[in-house]
C-alpha cells in the first residue's frame, strides 16, 4: 500500500497531493489535501480494511478506515 501511495509513481503523485482540497466526509469543515503514505496501512483482517491518513489544510492528519462491502460499526467499537 505504501509503495502504491508513494509519490514515485503516477497514482501516488495524484493521491499524495490532490489538485484541490476535498472535504472530509465525517466532518465537512475539515479539508484534506492528500494521503500520507507513511502513516497509511492495511489491517490484517479477512477483508483487509485500509487505514488512510490524510493531510489537512491546517497541517494535521485525519485518519479514516475504508472497508468495502462490510459494516464498520462493529469495527468502530474495537478501534
Amino acid at each position: 500500500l505504501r509503495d502504491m501511495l508513494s509519490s514515485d509513481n503516477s497514482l501516488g503523485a495524484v493521491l499524495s497531493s490532490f489538485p484541490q482540497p476535498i472535504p472530509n466526509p465525517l466532518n465537512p469543515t475539515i479539508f484534506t489535501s492528500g494521503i500520507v503514505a507513511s502513516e497509511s496501512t492495511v489491517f490484517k483482517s479477512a477483508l483487509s480494511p485500509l487505514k488512510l491518513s490524510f493531510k489537512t489544510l491546517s497541517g494535521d492528519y485525519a485518519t479514516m478506515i475504508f472497508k468495502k462491502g462490510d459494516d464498520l460499526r462493529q469495527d468502530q467499537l474495537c478501534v
Side-chain angles (χ1 to χ4, degrees):
L1 176 67
R2 290 181 181 164
D3 287 339
M4 186 185 322
L5 293 176
S6 73
S7 58
D8 295 339
N9 60 54
S10 59
L11 176 63
V14 171
L15 294 176
S16 65
S17 181
F18 302 149
Q20 66 184 48
I22 299 171
N24 181 324
L26 302 175
N27 185 351
T29 62
I30 297 173
F31 285 83
T32 59
S33 60
I35 297 176
V36 181
S38 62
E39 298 290 323
S40 300
T41 187
V42 178
F43 286 111
K44 294 181 191 272
S45 177
L47 295 177
S48 300
L50 303 176
K51 181 187 110 178
L52 298 177
S53 292
F54 294 86
K55 293 181 282 191
T56 65
L57 293 181
S58 64
D60 296 327
Y61 293 148
T63 303
M64 291 178 259
I65 297 173
F66 291 90
K67 190 173 182 183
K68 183 181 183 305
D70 199 12
D71 191 356
L72 284 174
R73 287 179 289 187
Q74 188 173 21
D75 293 339
Q76 177 180 327
L77 298 174
C78 297
V79 176

